Amino acid sequence: MSKVIMTATVSLDGFIASEDDAVGPLFDWYGNGDVAVTMGDPGRVFHVTPASAGYVRSLGGIRATVIGRRLFDITNGWNGVPAAGEHVFVVTHEPPADWPFPDAPFTFVGDVPPAVEQARALGDVSVAAGDVGGQALAAGLVDEVHFNVVPVLLGRGKRYFGSFAGGVRMLEDPRVIEGDRVLHLVYAVRR
């Protein structure tokens, strides 16, 4: 059975980006080591520490990603190449009419549950943290929550769980992978 993972790099105070969507030092760990890894797109090579490489490689089963329209717009859909996995499901009520990569493996879906369901049919799924991830968690669709915690305080910005208001959710004890300038915490969602 496929697994749904909510994931992002996060500051110590719980933000995945500043209010203007800048990530600042959050992604520094992607370039602070000697081990080359990719997350699906062979054109995007990161150089991380051995511990972080092991963590990234453990996500090798990701076949699809679910993101929101905001992330899609900020990244320009990674120019039609999924950043992780082989297919991207974009949650939006208004698909782009003029996107220059109409044949790219991107599907536009009107709500989080059907996007996750369609993605899950392909295999393991990565759901972007933020509002889409918070909605997936609230709907009971997330199996694991992954925090890539970096030692920085942003003070304010985009919250890891977005506007999550789904009530109490218990997580299991974390699996901890200690990288350089990043701590990977993996929590199974208690059922």
Side-chain angles (χ1 to χ4, degrees), residues 17-34:
S18 65
E19 290 176 329
D20 66 354
D21 296 312
V23 295
L26 291 176
F27 289 175
D28 288 357
W29 69 273
Y30 285 117
N32 70 355
D34 298 327

Side-chain angles (χ1 to χ4, degrees), residues 114-167:
V116 172
E117 180 180 327
Q118 289 177 48
R120 201 171 205 160
L122 300 176
D124 288 351
V125 177
S126 171
V127 176
D131 283 330
V132 167
Q135 290 175 44
L137 183 65
L141 302 173
V142 174
D143 300 306
E144 291 181 355
V145 177
H146 291 212
F147 294 92
N148 301 304
V149 183
V150 296
V152 65
L153 300 171
L154 295 181
R156 61 181 171 263
K158 309 290 180 164
R159 300 197 60 75
Y160 182 92
F161 290 104
S163 57
F164 175 76

